[in-house]
Amino acid sequence: MKLRHGAALAIVAWYLMIPPINADNRVDAGAPLSKWRKSVSFDSAKECEASLKDSIENPMTPSEYQIAAQATLKAKMHPLSKSEMSRRMEESVCVSADDPRLKPKAK
């Protein structure tokens, strides 16, 4: 194996993982990570953490929330309250693509 091939194998993506919503239309941060949604992928943990920090520090504006709520309704789903949407971002985490918690548990 040539050195450049080994270096390519070492690259691991990072995912910004967003917790699922339970039947009561609330954030379920206690759900197994395999049930969470992969929001965005990044080339490094540092990029992922910076994006998450920015999302938390700069929440949606009221007009952005209205657009998101309308899109959710159009998809025949119940929109989250603005506070639950903020909580969802606060509970989000960055995870390596090779994290074993992303795989569903065997039955």
Side-chain angles (χ1 to χ4, degrees):
M1 178 188 287
K2 292 185 180 180
L3 182 56
R4 68 174 187 252
H5 292 263
L9 294 174
I11 296 173
V12 175
W14 285 79
Y15 296 126
L16 176 57
M17 302 295 294
I18 298 177
I21 305 303
N22 65 21
D24 296 330
N25 213 38
R26 297 203 176 271
V27 174
D28 186 4
L33 201 57
S34 62
K35 303 283 186 195
W36 289 38
R37 186 171 67 91
K38 294 173 188 167
S39 174
V40 183
S41 68
F42 297 90
D43 292 332
S44 70
K46 186 176 180 179
E47 289 174 320
C48 185
E49 293 293 343
S51 177
L52 178 56
K53 181 180 178 189
D54 183 59
S55 294
I56 292 169
E57 290 177 354
N58 300 295
M60 287 185 176
T61 64
S63 61
E64 290 171 331
Y65 172 76
Q66 287 301 320
I67 291 168
Q70 288 171 356
T72 303
L73 286 169
K74 193 173 187 176
K76 299 189 185 326
M77 297 172 13
H78 297 287
L80 293 177
S81 66
K82 193 160 195 262
S83 63
E84 278 300 295
M85 200 169 282
S86 293
R87 180 171 174 243
R88 195 174 194 197
M89 283 313 302
E90 291 166 2
E91 296 288 347
S92 296
V93 294
C94 291
V95 177
S96 172
D98 63 359
D99 190 308
R101 297 174 298 165
L102 293 177
K103 296 180 176 83
K105 300 260 188 224
K107 292 184 181 183

